[in-house]
């Protein structure tokens, strides 16, 4: 319930109870057979969807409707893959046509797979050859093992605050407790911390974990142990700790140090691929890695991912010296979706237009927060960004952990959700603007944001 100025006069749970009755009932039902009541932990109460996640009924373009009929401007975008909005007609038609004309899975190659591969190679600067997989985690797992096979080395360098999927080799130090990870040692390293139980502790010896955006740490490490390093894996711009951009020269330094020491540079572009320009972060920043992983964005919302790179490295697979397998790899649904998505993304002016839409939203939020006297900054790249409630700049996980105001973010999320604007309730996720969001979506969002900031500028009710 709200007062005449749109301010909520009751707690969040009470205020949504009357509007999300069916979601609540479905959540209770789902919780009996699905752990946490949802298919991925990021959709559960523990990950911020309290008191229960809204259950969705359908999406079209930039909008979603839940089972109670509430409409949302969608900046969650399925956590990234709905880069063309929901049910883009070109991709939907391509997939349904392909399935009814060919089938779904042959266990053998076919022409549409070649079309899809050629279009990805044409779009992404660092990819000369590509293999399709089914999820980002599989793509990263392939890239890391391939790098080890190619270099015949074991050590992988990764950074705190980055996420590279759930496989044991990389499921470390995403958001570690600094008390466990400790301060940096003389080489700038932090103690690797498994991101959850069940990961074999001995894998810590195969990893080096550094702070990101810290040129000194990576330079020292490579000078000392560069000859042992198989790969440096990084998000080229970090979108798993809100949004953090590389400082000028940092990606170039990673590129030159890996080349100098015979290690591979892996850009995990699962989020950044096709996101704010067609060639991804590597095109945007002008730094070409040896291996690239792609997923969200690649298939316009269909489950597909990819690992690609130079002919030299991918040649290990071509020559049969490295076996990359998967029953569902490059299935018809995936390749039809990739091929059609690549065609849609090739439209001249598309990215320029959508970055402008996203930038207008980001600028509007920045201005409204400032007008409400709330210390906040917006970091991102047009079609993906996060609002940090912090008076300090955030350069890496340690900064985010110290400075970002989680309680404030939760209040912001609740106020926006109540007003029909959807994004992930955790501050370390982001807002995604699809390539079909419009100025009307931004206008509606900014009206909601003005009301939300007005609420946030006052102490929380009950404080
Ligand atoms: C940068 C990055 N790499 C890898 C992954 C894992 O991808 P998936 O969830 O498709 O396994 C994610 C997922 O969010 C990601 O953001």
């Amino acid at each position: 319930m709200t007062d005449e100025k749109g301010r909520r006069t009751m707690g969040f749970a009470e205020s949504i109870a009357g509007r999300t009755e069916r979601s609540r009932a479905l959540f209770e039902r789902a919780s009996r057979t699905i752990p946490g009541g949802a298919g991925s932990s990021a959709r559960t109460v523990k990950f911020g969807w309290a008191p229960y996640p809204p259950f969705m009924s359908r999406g079209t373009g930039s909008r979603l409707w839940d089972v109670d009929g509430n409409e949302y401007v969608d900046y969650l975008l399925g956590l990234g893959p709905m880069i063309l909005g929901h049910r883009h007609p070109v991709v939907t038609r391509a997939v349904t046509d392909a399935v009814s004309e060919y089938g779904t899975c042959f266990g053998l190659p076919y022409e549409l797979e070649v079309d899809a591969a050629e279009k990805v190679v044409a779009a992404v600067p660092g990819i000369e050859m590509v293999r399709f997989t089914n999820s980002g985690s599989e793509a990263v797992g392939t890239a890391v093992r391939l790098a080890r096979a190619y270099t015949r080395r074991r050590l992988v360098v990764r950074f705190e605050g980055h996420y590279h999927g759930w496989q044991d080799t990389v499921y470390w130090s995403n958001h570690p407790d600094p008390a466990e990870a400790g301060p940096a040692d003389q080489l700038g390293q932090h103690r690797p911390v498994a991101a959850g139980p069940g990961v074999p502790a001995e894998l810590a010896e195969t990893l080096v974990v550094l702070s990101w955006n810290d040129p000194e740490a990576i330079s020292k490490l490579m000078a000392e142990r560069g000859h042992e390093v198989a790969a440096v894996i990084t998000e080229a711009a970090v979108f798993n700790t809100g949004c953090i951009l590389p400082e000028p020269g940092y990606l170039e330094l990673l590129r030159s140090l890996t080349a100098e020491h015979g290690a591979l540079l892996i850009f995990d572009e699962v989020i950044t691929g096709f996101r704010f320009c067609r060639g991804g972060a590597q095109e945007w920043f002008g730094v070409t890695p040896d291996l690239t992983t792609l997923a969200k964005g690649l298939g316009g919302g269909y489950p597909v991912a990819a690992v690609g790179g130079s002919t030299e490295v991918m040649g290990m697979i071509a020559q049969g010296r490295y076996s990359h397998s998967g029953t569902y790899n490059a299935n018809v649904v995936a390749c039809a979706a990739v091929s059609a998505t690549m065609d849609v993304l090739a439209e001249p002016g598309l990215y320029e237009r959508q970055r402008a839409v996203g930038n207008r939203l980001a600028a509007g939020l920045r201005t409204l927060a400032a007008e409400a006297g709330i210390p906040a900054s917006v970091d991102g790249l047009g079609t993906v960004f996060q609002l940090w409630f912090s008076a300090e700049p955030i350069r890496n996980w340690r900064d985010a952990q110290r400075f970002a105001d989680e309680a404030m973010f939760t209040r912001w999320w609740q106020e926006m959700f109540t007003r029909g604007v959807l994004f992930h309730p955790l501050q370390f996720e982001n807002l995604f603007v699809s390539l079909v969001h419009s100025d009307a979506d931004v206008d509606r969002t900014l009206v909601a944001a003005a009301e939300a900031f007005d609420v946030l500028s006052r102490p929380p009710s009950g404080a």
Side-chain angles (χ1 to χ4, degrees), residues 35-52:
S40 166
S41 294
R43 303 169 204 168
T44 60
V45 172
K46 186 166 185 295
F47 279 66
W49 294 105
Y52 43 82

Side-chain angles (χ1 to χ4, degrees), residues 151-155 157 187 220-231 257-264:
T151 58
R152 296 166 189 257
R153 299 174 182 175
R154 194 172 73 134
L155 209 58
V157 179
L187 286 184
K220 272 201 289 193
L221 186 274
M222 292 304 276
E224 192 99 353
R225 298 187 70 187
H227 60 286
E228 294 175 58
V229 174
L257 286 172
T258 43
E260 183 187 331
H261 292 277
L264 298 189

Side-chain angles (χ1 to χ4, degrees), residues 135-138 140 163-166 235 240 268 270-271 295-296:
S135 71
S137 295
E138 285 176 51
V140 170
Y163 177 65
H164 300 298
W166 46 258
E235 293 186 58
N240 280 291
D268 182 354
V270 161
I271 289 186
K296 309 180 186 204

Side-chain angles (χ1 to χ4, degrees), residues 79 154 167 175 198 234 238 286 317 420 458 461:
L79 278 170
R154 194 172 73 134
Q167 295 212 359
H175 293 151
T234 184
V238 186
I317 304 177
R458 293 152 219 280
S461 52

